[in-house]
């Protein structure tokens, strides 16, 4: 027998003993009162019978009430058991009611009540989580144009809720990634369209640019948008290429007129903006065209002076070309009578034509200054005559500097040869075998004594004596000496060659 049962029986026995004692005391007090009242035995018997009848009725009512209570507890157990079973079925849980079978009826009802409350709380929690996840999932799937996560049970299981939560998180990450790509594509598309000064024509592109909230971030739409951007990028490249060609044509015309007007870039009334893809506009070309128009007017007004100055520049370029030809070591070969004509032309240009052209410039500038005293003509920021004088002065200084540098170089080379010997110089390229065969035949025909370096040096000193040799240019003496004394080796040949070049 369990401890609880023994405890309850002791409580009942104690209560019964107390009730019995009270009943006896009550009866004794009643008899005492009845004796005092002089009540007959018949009346006493009737009153005692009524007392016991009333007590019996109370006990009967109490028994019925207790039986009803027990029946109600049993019904409650049955009802709770059914409800718990239904909740476990909805929650997809296994029912665990076997542990309460050994409990008393009241304890069983209490245990079932707590279990039912726990299951109802769990059901409510799952339904709340489902109610929170489902709208988010539907919204994300609507933005991504995908199918929402399907839950077929009215109350999802814990595993299904976890899977749904992971699905929502995955859709959220996917939307965030596509939205980031969308922003990059949108910015690029806006940049390209803005630079081309036009609007989008595709409906999807218009939605992306003007109503982002209505854009569906599906994979198909993203691919289509990328294709639109690539096409727009190609159109932009073609647009830039066409604009660059137009700009370069206008710019070339501008440079040509600047050259005609003998003006520098700083001579513009306002700095001209350079070509920049970020600022492509028709106003850029219009600015350059306006500058071209200004230069045309400038040239027409000053054509007399600029034409004279062009004549002087052309003659000056001819003089520079004559000077360049003078430095050419091959100018004496196969020239026939051209060399004499070029020399006459050079003298005529330097002594006659250039001074006449300079005088023509002076006269044209004087005429212009007389008619336009407040608008002087400038060439590269200088007066025309100053420009001519400065050009000649700079050229003369450059020639003198070149001569000094060449002289210093020869001086250093001669000093180096006097200390370390001449540097061998490879002869020019000839047909294969030509050098070896000619050198070998020449050495075989020349006596050994004549091929001695010492004899060559002695002959050189004798022929260079002023008492026996008439005066002739040094270079000519060296060339004749080289013809008389065949080189005994490539080294001596190179030494003589270097000496001749330095002396000439």
């Amino acid at each position: 027998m369990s401890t609880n049962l023994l405890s309850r029986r002791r409580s009942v026995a104690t209560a019964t003993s107390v009730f019995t004692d009270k009943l006896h005391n009550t009866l004794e007090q009643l008899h005492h009162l009845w004796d005092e009242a002089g009540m007959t035995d018949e009346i006493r018997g009737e009153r005692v019978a009524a007392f016991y009848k009333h007590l019996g009725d109370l006990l009967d009512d109490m028994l019925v009430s207790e039986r009803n209570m027990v029946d109600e507890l049993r019904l409650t157990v049955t009802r709770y058991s059914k409800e718990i079973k239904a909740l476990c079925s909805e929650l997809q849980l296994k029912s665990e009611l076997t542990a309460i079978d050994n409990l008393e009826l009241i304890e069983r009802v209490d245990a079932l009540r707590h279990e039912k409350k726990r299951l109802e709380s769990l059901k409510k929690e799952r339904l709340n989580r489902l109610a929170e996840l489902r709208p988010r999932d539907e919204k994300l799937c609507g933005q991504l144009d995908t199918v929402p996560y399907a839950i077929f049970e009215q109350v999802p299981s814990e595993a299904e809720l976890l899977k749904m939560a992971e699905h929502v998180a995955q859709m959220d990450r996917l939307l965030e990634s596509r939205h980031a790509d969308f922003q990059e594509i949108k910015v690029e598309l806006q940049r390209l369209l803005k630079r081309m000064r036009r609007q989008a024509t595709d409906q999807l592109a218009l939605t992306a640019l003007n109503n982002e909230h209505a854009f569906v971030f599906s994979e198909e739409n993203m691919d289509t948008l990328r294709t639109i951007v690539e096409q727009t990028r190609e159109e932009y490249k073609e647009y830039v290429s066409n604009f660059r060609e137009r700009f370069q044509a206008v710019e070339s015309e501008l440079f040509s007129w600047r050259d005609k007007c003998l003006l520098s870039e700083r001579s513009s009334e306002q700095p001209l903006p350079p070509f920049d893809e970020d600022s492509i506009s028709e106003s850029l070309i219009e600015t350059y065209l306006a500058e071209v128009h200004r230069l045309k007017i400038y040239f027409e007004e000053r054509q007399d002076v600029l034409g004279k100055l062009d004549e002087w520049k052309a003659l000056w370029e001819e003089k520079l070309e004559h000077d360049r030809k003078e430095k050419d070591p091959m100018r004496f070969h196969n020239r026939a009578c051209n060399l004499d004509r070029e020399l006459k032309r050079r003298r005529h240009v330097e002594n006659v034509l250039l001074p006449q052209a300079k005088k023509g410039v002076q006269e044209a500038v004087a005429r212009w200054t007389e008619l336009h005293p407040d608008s002087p003509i400038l060439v590269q920021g200088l007066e025309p005559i100053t420009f001519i004088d400065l050009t000649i002065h700079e050229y003369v200084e450059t020639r003198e500097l070149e001569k000094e540098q060449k002289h210093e170089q020869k001086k250093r080379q001669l000093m180096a040869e006097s200390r370390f010997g001449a540097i061998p110089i490879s002869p020019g390229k000839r047909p294969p075998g030509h050098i070896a065969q000619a050198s070998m035949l020449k050495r075989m025909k020349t006596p050994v004594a004549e091929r001695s370096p010492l004899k060559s040096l002695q002959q050189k000193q004798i022929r260079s004596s002023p008492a026996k040799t008439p005066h002739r240019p040094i270079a000519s003496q060296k060339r004749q000496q080289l013809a008389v004394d065949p080189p005994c080796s490539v080294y001596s040949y190179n030494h003589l060659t270097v000496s001749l070049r330095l002396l000439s």
Side-chain angles (χ1 to χ4, degrees), residues 432-485:
H434 176 78
I435 296 177
Q437 294 176 2
S439 177
M440 183 62 70
L441 291 174
K442 203 168 188 179
R443 294 185 63 184
M444 290 176 64
K445 294 178 181 180
T446 304
V448 177
E450 294 182 2
R451 296 201 301 266
S452 172
L454 181 59
K455 180 176 178 60
S456 299
L457 182 59
Q458 293 173 352
Q459 292 177 352
K460 171 185 174 182
Q461 294 174 351
I462 293 172
R463 282 192 291 269
S464 63
S465 174
K468 298 181 179 181
T469 305
H471 175 72
R472 61 170 58 91
I474 299 177
S476 177
Q477 295 176 8
K478 292 297 182 179
R479 293 191 187 95
Q480 291 183 6
Q481 178 179 345
L482 183 60
V484 172
D485 298 332

Side-chain angles (χ1 to χ4, degrees), residues 235-353:
E235 294 174 3
Y236 174 72
K237 290 180 180 178
E238 184 177 356
Y239 172 81
V240 172
S241 177
N242 294 337
F243 188 90
R244 182 183 283 109
E245 290 179 1
R246 293 173 55 202
F247 175 82
Q248 289 176 349
V250 177
E251 187 182 39
S252 177
E253 185 179 5
L254 174 63
F255 291 160
S256 175
W257 279 105
R258 278 180 181 168
D259 293 340
K260 288 182 179 180
C261 297
L262 302 174
L263 296 175
S264 62
E265 185 176 354
R266 297 181 180 179
S267 62
S268 301
E269 295 181 353
Q270 59 181 3
L272 296 178
F275 176 80
D276 185 6
E277 290 188 11
D278 294 334
S279 58
I280 288 179
S281 64
E282 292 298 325
S283 61
L284 179 63
I285 293 182
E286 292 174 0
T287 303
Y288 275 70
L289 289 175
E291 181 66 12
V292 169
H293 180 69
R294 187 184 72 85
L295 293 179
K296 287 181 179 179
I297 296 176
Y298 180 92
F299 181 81
E300 291 175 359
E301 293 176 348
R302 298 161 177 80
Q303 189 170 5
D304 184 24
V305 177
L306 296 177
K308 297 294 183 181
L309 195 55
D310 279 339
E311 294 177 5
W312 182 88
K313 287 184 64 179
L315 292 171
W316 178 254
E317 289 296 331
E318 185 177 352
K319 168 191 163 41
L320 297 182
E321 181 63 24
H322 288 310
D323 291 348
R324 282 191 291 269
K325 290 181 179 180
E326 183 185 11
K327 298 178 183 180
D328 186 7
M330 301 298 294
R331 66 184 183 278
F332 297 106
H333 297 277
N334 300 325
R335 299 298 300 272
C337 298
N338 293 337
L339 187 61
D340 185 48
R341 287 197 297 269
E342 288 180 1
L343 183 58
K344 291 180 180 179
R345 175 64 181 175
R346 176 183 177 185
R347 291 173 180 171
H348 184 64
V349 169
E350 292 182 358
N351 300 328
V352 179
L353 298 182

Side-chain angles (χ1 to χ4, degrees), residues 126-139:
R126 290 188 183 180
L127 290 176
N128 289 338
R129 290 167 61 188
L130 178 63
E132 179 185 357
L133 291 173
R134 179 166 286 168
R136 291 177 56 193
D137 183 44
E138 291 176 353
K139 181 179 179 181

